[in-house]
Amino acid sequence: MTMLPKPRPGAKKLGLVVDLDTCVGCHACAVNCKEWNTGGQAGILPDYDKYGANPDGVWFNRIHSYETEGEGCSRTVNVPRSCMHCEDALCVTVCPTGASYKRAEDGIVLIDTDICIGCKLCSWACPYGARELDEVEGVMRKCTLCVDRIYDEKLPPAEREPACVATCPSRARHFGDLADPQSKVSRLVAERGGVDLLAELGFRPTNKYLPPRRATIPAEPPKARTSGGFGAALLGLLDRALSR
Amino acid sequence: MRPDASILLLTTSTGFGYGLLAWLGVEAALGVMPAGRMRTLVAAGLAVSLVLVSIGLAASAFHLGRKERAWRAFSQWRSSWLSREGVASVLTYPVAIAFGIIAWRHGEGVWTRVLGVAALGASLGTVYCTAMIYASLKPIRQWHNAHTAPDYLLYALFSGALLLAVIHTVVLGAPGALASAAAAAAAALALVAKRAYWRHIDSQKPLATLAAAIGLPKGNEARPLDAPHFTENFILREMGFVIARRHTAKLRPLVIAIGFASPLVLSVLAGLAVAPMTTTMLALVCAALGLLTERWLFFAEATHVSALYYGRPI
């Protein structure tokens, strides 16, 4: 059913919090996502022209790098982009078949690929470009928030998190319940001023992004060189030569 | 947005078909069909209309990844305009057929008029659903605006009026005052509407800046440094379609001249009984070519906000 679920009191809002301050743009999250979702018995993320000149394929997570300027500094910002599991998920309501749905209990947006007709309308409705067509099966694919990991009781509790979060070497990705103000992710968002991407479009994404912090390490002012005779002059010369 | 041949054919062909059905309904409701030829007019009109509609709907299945599951698209009419379009298009068939049967058996009469109104409502309702598929997509500013739905209705009525004039000419020898006037007026309105639409989308601002798309506060600027991948992917092929400004500049006047101005002049000539068979047919051919180009532009000029992440213009 592609009507959005009515908000339930106490329902979870599972999602990701991505720290743009510490993301180093290494693509490990995208690679581990691809590996997890394409491995096993039912690999679902096809690749086309794998070893050819134009390799292409379906990925749930794409990492962009940008140069930014403002607030008195310029910097590189790496932005992982995947499904935001929006509260006003237009991709769900436009679906003509009921294949695209949002779960009432935890807000995860999923696709029932057994009934998807591959009309692509949901991909047009998503402002984040988070849905990609599987051109082999003719159905749409998207991030599942690793629904097959986070509820898997055979996994040790510490591993019950999305593959992208588990693998992030700079701990820039966090997973949790954003409906609970006391959860680790909610506190992070509150402390760091987490934001919605494309907030003005009004899709109310669940995933939040922590903006890059301003560089606050003050540079020490250069010390005035004191004349200290031959020894100091020699040391000064050495210092200049070595710090070139 | 990538112009997909099957969707261009779907929206233009059903526009002609439903437009014609709407005008047949108007004529029946007003009781202005010549009594002696009503059966032929309705039968010919319905046949042409339903063939065009069916071609369009069949074409729409070609862009599906899983054609055999197309029937599932009728289920989500409560939220999805695409589903509503499917339901409306299927419901229009029995209405059109009932209208044809009653008009054939009873000629003029209350029920013919009632079913004429029903055929008008069902056909325009379906066109409206089609238009709303595009108008409801918030990430695409060239579609999500107040022009899209009225424009689709107008182009359907315009193309239907030209078809009606041809059918009148074939059956009755002349297009008649109503069909010619309707065709000329619809052509003029469609021309004005298309120009207003282009003015509107040309004056719109992009939906967002790249800095906002990556969550940076105001006062920041961002430009792409490294893309996630070095070849085109589904998102870029489907949503990152970019049309060169020089192509737009060439195609827009062509749409106005061939799609709207020529049919306008030809319909006036047909109304004045200047070689009606040639002028009405020529008007129809011009409009078909013009509207296919117009629909191609409707897609090609539409930009999707997600292309922003790749630094493409939106």
Side-chain angles (χ1 to χ4, degrees), chain A residues 139-157:
Chain A
V139 296
M140 197 56 71
R141 302 283 185 195
K142 68 173 291 300
C143 159
T144 64
L145 207 62
C146 281
V147 72
D148 54 342
R149 279 180 70 103
I150 59 177
Y151 290 115
D152 187 350
E153 292 180 1
K154 287 185 203 138
L155 288 176

Side-chain angles (χ1 to χ4, degrees), chain A residues 55 65-66 69 94 116 124, chain B residues 69 80 221 223 225 231 304 309:
Chain A
S65 296
Y66 302 101
E69 257 176 85
V94 299
C116 172
W124 296 1
Chain B
R69 296 177 181 169
S80 164
E221 275 186 45
R223 52 190 174 269
L225 183 64
T231 57
H304 194 280
Y309 288 101

Side-chain angles (χ1 to χ4, degrees), chain B residues 258-283:
Chain B
I258 295 176
F260 302 119
S262 305
L264 170 59
V265 174
L266 289 165
S267 298
V268 171
L269 289 177
L272 298 171
V274 181
M277 189 61 93
T278 314
T279 44
T280 51
M281 285 294 272
L282 204 56

Side-chain angles (χ1 to χ4, degrees), chain B residues 8 17 38 40 42 87 119 147 153 167 170 187 216 221 233 266 271 288:
Chain B
L8 300 189
M38 184 168 182
T40 326
V42 171
V87 171
H147 288 261
L153 289 170
I167 288 167
V170 170
L216 298 180
E221 275 186 45
N233 68 343
L266 289 165

Side-chain angles (χ1 to χ4, degrees), chain A residues 116-183:
Chain A
C116 172
I117 60 174
C119 72
K120 299 185 268 194
L121 189 56
C122 57
S123 66
W124 296 1
C126 172
Y128 306 104
R131 291 174 167 242
E132 302 193 9
L133 188 75
D134 173 343
E135 286 162 34
V136 175
E137 291 293 317
V139 296
M140 197 56 71
R141 302 283 185 195
K142 68 173 291 300
C143 159
T144 64
L145 207 62
C146 281
V147 72
D148 54 342
R149 279 180 70 103
I150 59 177
Y151 290 115
D152 187 350
E153 292 180 1
K154 287 185 203 138
L155 288 176
E159 285 179 31
R160 291 178 207 163
E161 57 182 4
C164 58
V165 175
T167 202
C168 180
S170 63
R171 287 279 173 262
R173 302 178 71 93
H174 307 269
F175 163 71
D177 178 11
L178 286 137
D180 171 11
Q182 295 311 312
S183 69

Side-chain angles (χ1 to χ4, degrees), chain A residues 2 55-56 62-69 81 93-94 98 113-118 124 126 135 137 201, chain B residues 65-66 69 72-73 76 79-80 138-139 220-223 225-226 228-229 231 233 235 237-238 304 309-310:
Chain A
T2 58
D56 176 20
R62 304 272 190 182
I63 321 305
H64 299 256
S65 296
Y66 302 101
E67 287 179 307
T68 74
E69 257 176 85
R81 177 177 57 85
T93 54
V94 299
T113 49
D114 287 340
I115 64 174
C116 172
I117 60 174
W124 296 1
C126 172
E135 286 162 34
E137 291 293 317
L201 264 67
Chain B
R66 300 293 288 249
R69 296 177 181 169
R72 291 188 181 274
Q76 302 302 312
S79 72
S80 164
K138 278 201 283 183
N220 281 270
E221 275 186 45
R223 52 190 174 269
L225 183 64
D226 283 323
H229 41 94
T231 57
N233 68 343
I235 297 296
R237 279 193 300 274
E238 192 76 8
H304 194 280
Y309 288 101
Y310 290 91

Side-chain angles (χ1 to χ4, degrees), chain B residues 99-147:
Chain B
F99 166 55
I101 290 172
I102 297 294
W104 182 270
R105 295 177 93 182
H106 302 294
E108 293 262 329
V110 177
W111 282 109
T112 306
R113 286 173 188 244
V114 168
L115 281 164
V117 173
L120 168 70
S123 50
L124 292 188
T126 311
V127 173
Y128 181 74
C129 290
T130 304
M132 286 308 292
I133 296 173
Y134 305 107
S136 64
L137 294 172
K138 278 201 283 183
I140 305 163
R141 63 178 170 86
Q142 293 88 346
W143 296 355
H144 182 65
N145 58 52
H147 288 261

Side-chain angles (χ1 to χ4, degrees), chain A residues 6-236:
Chain A
K6 290 204 178 68
R8 273 190 205 171
K12 285 191 280 188
K13 272 200 282 183
L14 296 184
L16 300 172
V17 171
V18 180
D19 190 341
L20 298 183
D21 194 54
T22 52
C23 174
V24 293
C26 69
H27 296 241
C29 53
V31 172
N32 204 34
C33 165
K34 180 84 170 172
E35 199 283 328
W36 175 258
N37 285 295
T38 208
Q41 286 187 8
I44 55 168
L45 295 186
D47 286 312
Y48 328 118
D49 195 22
K50 273 186 214 180
Y51 308 111
N54 288 297
D56 176 20
V58 178
W59 295 67
F60 291 160
N61 190 10
R62 304 272 190 182
I63 321 305
H64 299 256
S65 296
Y66 302 101
E67 287 179 307
T68 74
E69 257 176 85
E71 298 170 287
C73 61
S74 48
R75 57 198 160 198
T76 302
V77 178
N78 305 300
V79 184
R81 177 177 57 85
S82 61
C83 173
M84 307 281 171
H85 301 279
C86 298
E87 288 188 65
D88 284 333
L90 192 60
C91 58
V92 168
T93 54
V94 299
C95 175
T97 66
S100 190
Y101 64 103
K102 184 171 174 69
R103 298 177 12 141
E105 64 271 34
D106 53 18
I108 300 179
V109 176
L110 292 173
I111 300 170
D112 182 347
T113 49
D114 287 340
I115 64 174
C116 172
I117 60 174
C119 72
K120 299 185 268 194
L121 189 56
C122 57
S123 66
W124 296 1
C126 172
Y128 306 104
R131 291 174 167 242
E132 302 193 9
L133 188 75
D134 173 343
E135 286 162 34
V136 175
E137 291 293 317
V139 296
M140 197 56 71
R141 302 283 185 195
K142 68 173 291 300
C143 159
T144 64
L145 207 62
C146 281
V147 72
D148 54 342
R149 279 180 70 103
I150 59 177
Y151 290 115
D152 187 350
E153 292 180 1
K154 287 185 203 138
L155 288 176
E159 285 179 31
R160 291 178 207 163
E161 57 182 4
C164 58
V165 175
T167 202
C168 180
S170 63
R171 287 279 173 262
R173 302 178 71 93
H174 307 269
F175 163 71
D177 178 11
L178 286 137
D180 171 11
Q182 295 311 312
S183 69
K184 191 191 81 183
V185 282
S186 295
R187 277 187 277 122
L188 253 179
V189 171
E191 281 164 24
R192 296 276 309 281
V195 294
D196 294 346
L197 300 194
L198 293 173
E200 66 276 34
L201 264 67
F203 285 72
R204 296 200 292 147
T206 299
N207 287 9
K208 301 285 181 261
Y209 285 74
L210 309 179
R213 281 179 274 217
R214 290 192 62 174
T216 51
I217 305 166
E220 269 181 46
K223 280 181 193 134
R225 196 169 285 123
T226 49
S227 57
F230 176 73
L234 188 65
L235 278 175

